[in-house]
Amino acid sequence: MSDSFQVEATGKAGFTRRRFIIGGVGVSAAAAIGGTTVRAPRALAATPPSGPPTTTLPLPTTTEPEQLLLTWGGDPATEVTVSWSAPGTVAQPAPTLAFSTQPITAHNPGWLVKLPDPRPLDVTQRYGEAAAVSFTDGLNGQTTYFYHVQLQGLKAGTRYYYQVSDGAHAPSTAGSSFETAPAGRAKFRFSSYGDLATPSWDLNTSGNIWHESCDNSWFAVTAIENPGDGKGAPLFHLLNGDLCYANLDVDNAPGVWRDFGNNVARSAANRPWMPALGNHECEFGVDTMAGQPGDAPGGVGAQGAAGSYWNGPYGFGHYLSRFLLPDNGVTNWDGNRLRGNFYAFQVGTVKFISLDADDVIYQDGAANYVIDTANTAPETTTTGAEIPNGTTTYTRLYTGGLTADAKNNSLVPDHASGKPNLQTIWLQQTLAEARRDPSVDMIVVFMHQCAMSTSVSGNGSDLAIRQAWLPLFDQYEVDLVLSGHEHDYERTYPVRGYDAGPTGTVAAPNPGQTKGAAVDTRRPSVVTTEPYEFDGTPAWNTAEGTVYLVLGGGGTNGPTNTYGTDAADDKPQAKVITTRNAVVGSEAAGFSKNGADSIEDAPWSAAINPTDAYGYSIFDVDPGAHPGDTTITFQYFAIPAVSNEAGTAHDGTTTLPSAPTEKFVFGRKVGK
Ligand SMILES: [Fe+2]
Ligand SMILES: [Fe+2]
């Protein structure tokens, strides 16, 4: 049985494939399947990029406001947080925010909020209504400044104008306007992707390029401001982790974040951008994991060797300085408040939940210094910090322990340890409350890593997400789960529960595993492969099963849209990570890191896109006439990779699509 709405042949004559293959089967698709789908080489600019900088580049010493960023407060109908930054390493003299329901002019100065003096990031403390935060990068010593004003008591569904000033003698200002979320049951539009990166390659006067930088990330932001269907920009955007890959540029993380901030401000100054933490938000530094300064004798050079190689709490110092997100009310076992690490908010009839999957995943994929060369020297930086070869920042279980529950092949908070996993406890409470709340019809979870992915060149599916959180997604009937991490697109059929028995095979053993051994991958069970129809559009009933969308094609230069197929039967196959990727080797011999250890047949994989890795998703929420009637119409717009011509900034070209490559309705009553 195959999809009723469309089936396309693959290159194999006479064979139809259950998965919907987006894109043609001509030359480009064939090339993509062969693994050669990469963007065209960049043509020479006036100053050709010479690769990632290996020294710290200076940041500006000016103070004009930039990197404007809106996020929702706890209640999006009445609370919006306005954030911005100074360009570089000098704090703004007297920063202020003015806001009003009318444009800010000389005659309408608006309400004025003055910001306090900056204080170093300290996540053990609560924030005031207005806060200025400084963060000193642990590797290059640059200190940068972030300003936050938490606006509360706003009117629902109302446009507000705002202007921020640096308060200099001759002040510099910047501003825009935004709309608060509607009250009650209302229509609205949101958008999503992950893995955005930066478009900095030809903005950097040194001619260097940041890691993962690509002009597709410029067009991805442009697309959110003007979606291809011509029906207007969304109310807000979900950014599914791996924001800018600053942890790959160890000498210049603040500079990479600045490029990210200025790129997304083209949209985030006008509408909230709500992020989830990804592996590339975890950075090397010289702190303990809890964010306390390392205290090893011998100065900063000894901190790495002593295990103090985190950039702020859990390595997330830049992220937690830059984003002031809704408060989950949870304080971690180490005394850090976990504000922004995971959070929830409601717009209309939809509950949105952002999770940090770094806390549960088996895979080891955050900051890495793993070099397969004998006697490789430690990675040293401007401040003299040293990261020994073979070091990774593995933050699994940073909010507390999980323990196996054999009856359900699951992982549950380990209460016996005295420090159970706080994020998972919070998730269960949040889901239970949402399902008890008559104003919530649908639940959308977004996080970075994937429970289900058939990407071959990417990371694969992580068993720990299936064990820790899918039982909760099943129990509370989460409707949609959005992720990134894989730099591609994939959609699953609705799934519920899991298939009994050992569903996988060890293919690339970690220590303690045996190649060819059977392994239980807790493979999610497909509910149906046949969509219903809703007003003429194919539709999936998400009360029957949760649909998972991989939306990681934001804009990096490393597409992973080659997908696994079982050579024996040409059906989808997935890599599955069932244990930590072992770092193997020695100082004397060099180190390497294993990839995914196992494989499974993947009947849950419903659609892939071997042609275009990039794209954005638009979701239109309609509450319908009665409680429970909410539908979400989903459109995926694939964006071709950029090609580049000689010229000035952002000279890459691509065609932003006007028609979706996939369109579905999701709802809990469709087909009934
Ligand atoms: Fe990524
Ligand atoms: Fe990632």
Side-chain angles (χ1 to χ4, degrees), residues 462-540:
D462 199 300
L463 173 61
I465 301 174
R466 298 180 179 183
Q467 291 175 316
W469 291 345
L470 265 60
L472 300 176
F473 297 166
D474 282 339
Q475 181 182 352
Y476 296 104
E477 298 184 358
V478 168
D479 296 281
L480 297 175
V481 176
L482 318 181
S483 70
H485 199 39
E486 312 290 53
H487 302 163
D488 59 35
Y489 175 77
E490 187 156 12
R491 173 177 55 83
T492 75
Y493 294 109
V495 296
R496 181 114 309 150
Y498 63 100
D499 298 336
T503 37
T505 306
V506 175
N510 280 307
Q513 292 182 309
T514 304
K515 187 167 184 172
V519 57
D520 189 344
T521 56
R522 204 182 195 282
R523 186 177 72 188
S525 286
V526 174
V527 173
T528 179
T529 60
E530 293 289 344
Y532 299 103
E533 198 178 288
F534 184 87
D535 285 351
T537 302
W540 303 97

Side-chain angles (χ1 to χ4, degrees), residues 113-289:
V113 180
K114 294 183 178 178
L115 278 84
D117 289 338
R119 295 171 55 173
L121 176 72
D122 179 357
V123 297
T124 67
Q125 303 297 313
R126 290 184 182 277
Y127 283 82
E129 177 198 359
V133 177
S134 67
F135 183 69
T136 301
D137 185 80
L139 293 189
N140 76 10
Q142 289 175 326
T143 298
T144 43
Y145 298 89
F146 308 93
Y147 303 97
H148 307 286
V149 177
Q150 305 180 69
L151 298 177
Q152 298 176 328
L154 303 175
K155 285 184 247 173
T158 301
R159 181 155 296 277
Y160 283 87
Y161 298 80
Y162 69 97
Q163 185 179 76
V164 299
S165 169
D166 63 356
H169 182 64
S172 294
T173 61
S176 186
S177 69
F178 60 84
E179 192 178 333
T180 53
R185 305 181 65 85
K187 292 183 179 182
F188 66 95
R189 162 173 279 202
F190 68 97
S191 57
S192 183
Y193 48 64
D195 307 80
L196 180 60
T198 55
S200 68
W201 77 287
D202 47 9
L203 289 183
N204 183 336
T205 53
S206 73
N208 288 306
I209 178 175
W210 306 132
H211 285 87
E212 296 285 333
S213 189
C214 173
D215 271 353
N216 267 101
S217 79
W218 175 268
F219 291 100
V221 176
T222 303
I224 298 308
E225 287 302 283
N226 189 17
D229 65 356
K231 293 183 177 172
L235 183 64
F236 62 98
H237 181 69
L238 305 179
L239 185 53
N240 308 331
D242 280 4
L243 278 53
C244 66
Y245 300 84
N247 72 348
L248 298 177
D249 280 288
V250 294
D251 293 294
N252 287 287
V256 179
W257 277 106
R258 181 185 181 221
D259 279 340
F260 162 81
N262 280 323
N263 184 34
V264 303
R266 296 186 295 125
S267 174
N270 312 324
R271 64 203 75 260
W273 276 47
M274 303 303 287
L277 276 164
N279 52 305
H280 284 287
E281 278 61 73
C282 184
E283 299 166 0
F284 281 136
V286 291
D287 289 342
T288 67
M289 190 177 175

Side-chain angles (χ1 to χ4, degrees), residues 598-629:
S598 296
I599 53 171
E600 71 178 13
D601 286 335
W604 41 260
S605 178
I608 55 175
N609 189 343
T611 304
D612 293 316
Y614 303 100
Y616 63 101
S617 297
I618 295 290
F619 301 81
D620 286 300
V621 178
D622 185 339
H626 306 287
D629 283 356

Side-chain angles (χ1 to χ4, degrees), residues 531-568:
Y532 299 103
E533 198 178 288
F534 184 87
D535 285 351
T537 302
W540 303 97
N541 186 313
T542 53
E544 297 178 349
T546 304
V547 173
Y548 292 71
L549 298 169
V550 180
L551 308 173
T556 79
N557 75 345
T560 65
N561 58 329
T562 53
Y563 303 86
T565 301
D566 186 339

